Structure formats: C-alpha cells, structure tokens
Amino acid sequence: MRVGKALHNELVLHDPTVSGEHCRFEPEGRMLCVRDLDSTNGTYVAGLRVTRAQLSAGARVRVGRTDLRVLAAVTDRQEQPPLVAVSVSMQETVAEALRFASLTWPVLVMGPSGAGKEELARLVHREGGRQKTPFVALNAGGLPRELVESELFGHERGAFTGAVGQRKGAFEQANGGTLFLDEIGELPLDLQARLLRVLETWQIRRVGGESSVDVDVRLVCATHRDLNKMVQEGSFRQDLFYRLARLVLRVAPLSERRDDVLPLAAHFLRGFAPEVGSRTLSRQAADRLLTHAWPGNARELRNVLCVAAALSPAAVLECSDIDQAIARISGPTPVILDAQTVEQAVRRCRGNLSAAARLLSIPRSTLRDRLKRRDAETSGETEIPDEANASTETA
C-alpha cells in the first residue's frame, strides 16, 4: 500500500508536508514492513528516520505531520468467538493485548463491568502459545469469603466441614495454561498476601495440606475498581498491585466506543439465530442502539437484544422492540447527548427536530436547547432550523 498525497496512492493524505509518493507498506512474513520512497521530509518510526523498518501491532509511523498506527486484525482462530473491535480505542487495546500475549508476565485488565475484559483475557491466552492448555476463569468477587481460598488453592479431605475429598483449586486446574481472576479488587487482604506468595514462588498449598505444589500459570487479572485508590486507602496491598500491574490493558466503556455498538449487535444476533431465527435491525432500531447510554456495556447490549429477539416474531427488529427490551432490562436510562449523537440524529431526520427528538427519546424543547448551546459554543450565529422549513421525513 503506497502512501502519499498523490491521488493514485492507495492511501491519500491531505498533508502538504507529505510527498507525492511518501512511503510504502508491504508484508514481510508475519510482520509488516514500511519503506520510505525518497520522501522530502522522511518516514519516522519511534522517532527515528528510517529508509526501511519492520513493524508490529501498535507501532506508530510518522509521515510529514501525520501519524499512522499499525493495528492487528483479530481473526476467528480455532473457532473461538471473535472479539469485536471496530472502534479505534478497542483496536488499540487489542493490539496491545496481542503484543502482551507472547510475554510471560501477569496482565491486569482494567475497565467497567461488562466491557469485555474476559474476552481480552481469552485473546491473550489463545495468542500466547498456550491455546492448547487450560483456560480457567474464577470470579474472586462472586464467592463467599470462606470459599475463596479453597477455590483458588484447593483443599484436602477433611480440611473443613463438607470437604469429603481432595479438590484441586483454580491454580492447579490451570497448570500449564492461563488463570483468569476476575474482580481481583474484591479479594480479602489475607488472601491477597497468599496470592502474593504464589506469585513469588509459583507454589501453592491446598487448604489443610502440608506440602506445596508447583504450578506454571499465566495469570490474567481484571477489575472494575480503582486499585490505585484502594492501595492508598489500605484495602489493596501495594506490593501485590505492582506484581499484577506489570502489563496493563484498559478497556473503555461502550459509551466511549460508539463504533463498536452495531458490530457487537450483529455479532450477538448471529449468536441468537440458532434459537430464535435470523434477526436484523431496522435503521430506526440501529439508531436507537446508538443513542442509548449502555451503562451495562456490552453485557447490557447483549441482554437487550436477547429480549428483543425473543419477544419479536419478525425477522427485522424495530425501534419499538428495542425500546421495550431496554425498558425490561435497564429501566428508564438516559441517552447519550454528546454533540456527535445530537448532530447524527438531526442529520438522519433531515433536519426534522420533532423526529430527531423522538429518536433521542427527549422532548423537542430539550433538543432545541442543546442545539442552541452547541451553536453558541461555536459561532453563536448559526440559526436553528425551524420545523416549518425542515424536511417532513422522519427517521
């Protein structure tokens, strides 16, 4: 792929500091290579001017005043569920996960509940050379306090009431593979100390046991909590935090990854097809998904579509189906009213403010006020279209 400001390039950049044919990207085995094409201002990788350089996922290339970023495509390997990453934010996170996958250090995934942290952990597992070994997931915040230790490290027969036999814990079950500890911020302080000891020795001792067992585990932890704040408050051990936070992935909430909403919706609907039949979204239904705040992130989106698909006998889901499902699952939640959402709604409704307000599920007066504030922040002179002069088409 040639890059430059000349129109015959595959990637045309409208940057006066870029040459007509500036550089070329080409495959080289499993890597990507960039070659400078004798450009005037040069091609830079990691701040160094290069004539040729190999690139991996996440690399940044500067041409003129333009920065390009190399992102890795996520493929559906070994028939695993694909990780949907269309937005730039999620693609960058995936690129980082792929770079971390080949390393052996612990990974800490931080982000809100339901945003896809376990999917990233599975991606690290699949792409890190352990895809044929166990992947064991344990929610540290979803177990009674007295059972967490046994679930993590196992127990011997008679160790406590109900321990009728020996049981291997999550570390032993994941031996040779990956252990995903979700909600690590909920782990009690005394068990944090035991986990730290495991990370130092890679040995575990079952509850009631007298001998240690060696384990070989790639540890991936996740949390929606602010661990730095918890360290300051004394509810999370600082030494354990620094053990876990060697490689950190941050997942943005779905409200900040608007480009992922419709691809995720299509992915979920395909997954429902064997049970409820083929389902697609009307344009109005798709627009409604884009205007919802999604406080529950991808998990809430999945549940809303599940209800809509189950209740509607039609192959095409309408806006009313989505509204009904949102009411059942999420209750009355606010829509996102950022400038992009408002402008998109008005544009889709061809300037008809009443139709745009219905699409956004807000009063027409609220929409007009929002548009007035937007125009005041820009020029202060733009006139809000009058309903009489606007198109009568609705979304």
Side-chain angles (χ1 to χ4, degrees), residues 187-202:
L187 200 64
L189 276 170
D190 57 332
L191 291 184
Q192 292 178 28
R194 285 205 59 182
L195 178 59
L196 179 63
R197 179 63 179 166
V198 172
L199 296 181
E200 291 172 343
T201 64
W202 291 111

Side-chain angles (χ1 to χ4, degrees), residues 78-243:
Q78 299 184 342
E79 299 182 354
Q80 295 286 345
L83 180 63
V84 177
V86 177
S87 66
V88 172
S89 169
M90 197 61 179
Q91 287 194 29
E92 289 181 347
T93 301
V94 168
E96 292 173 355
L98 292 173
R99 296 181 72 180
F100 293 167
S102 61
L103 305 174
T104 60
W105 304 324
V107 176
L108 178 62
V109 188
M110 305 181 76
S113 297
K117 298 189 291 295
E118 182 170 344
E119 286 74 15
L120 280 170
R122 291 183 181 276
L123 179 67
V124 169
H125 172 71
R126 292 199 305 269
E127 301 297 327
R130 297 190 180 222
Q131 61 267 36
K132 295 183 179 179
T133 60
F135 178 92
V136 177
L138 180 66
N139 188 332
L143 294 169
R145 166 66 184 82
E146 59 274 11
L147 293 182
V148 177
E149 186 176 16
S150 173
E151 289 293 326
L152 277 174
F153 308 117
H155 61 254
E156 298 289 352
R157 182 175 180 270
F160 50 83
T161 303
V164 295
Q166 185 192 80
R167 184 183 183 280
K168 292 182 178 180
F171 272 96
E172 284 188 85
Q173 295 173 34
N175 193 31
T178 301
L179 174 58
F180 174 61
L181 291 182
D182 199 5
E183 301 301 348
I184 190 67
E186 310 299 325
L187 200 64
L189 276 170
D190 57 332
L191 291 184
Q192 292 178 28
R194 285 205 59 182
L195 178 59
L196 179 63
R197 179 63 179 166
V198 172
L199 296 181
E200 291 172 343
T201 64
W202 291 111
Q203 293 182 329
I204 61 99
R205 179 175 296 180
R206 302 187 189 108
V207 177
E210 298 180 353
S211 59
S212 298
V213 179
D214 293 332
V215 290
D216 170 24
V217 169
R218 174 71 185 275
L219 185 63
V220 182
C221 297
T223 182
H224 74 282
R225 304 279 297 273
D226 185 344
L227 293 188
N228 281 295
K229 184 178 180 181
M230 293 181 66
V231 168
Q232 295 172 6
E233 296 171 346
S235 57
F236 198 86
R237 293 180 62 107
Q238 185 180 56
D239 45 7
L240 177 59
F241 172 74
Y242 286 119
R243 279 280 185 175

Side-chain angles (χ1 to χ4, degrees), residues 260-283:
D260 288 334
V261 172
L262 296 184
L264 273 169
H267 166 64
F268 291 140
L269 290 175
R270 284 194 298 270
F272 302 154
E275 294 194 61
V276 298
S278 177
R279 293 287 192 276
T280 58
L281 297 167
S282 69
R283 192 186 73 175

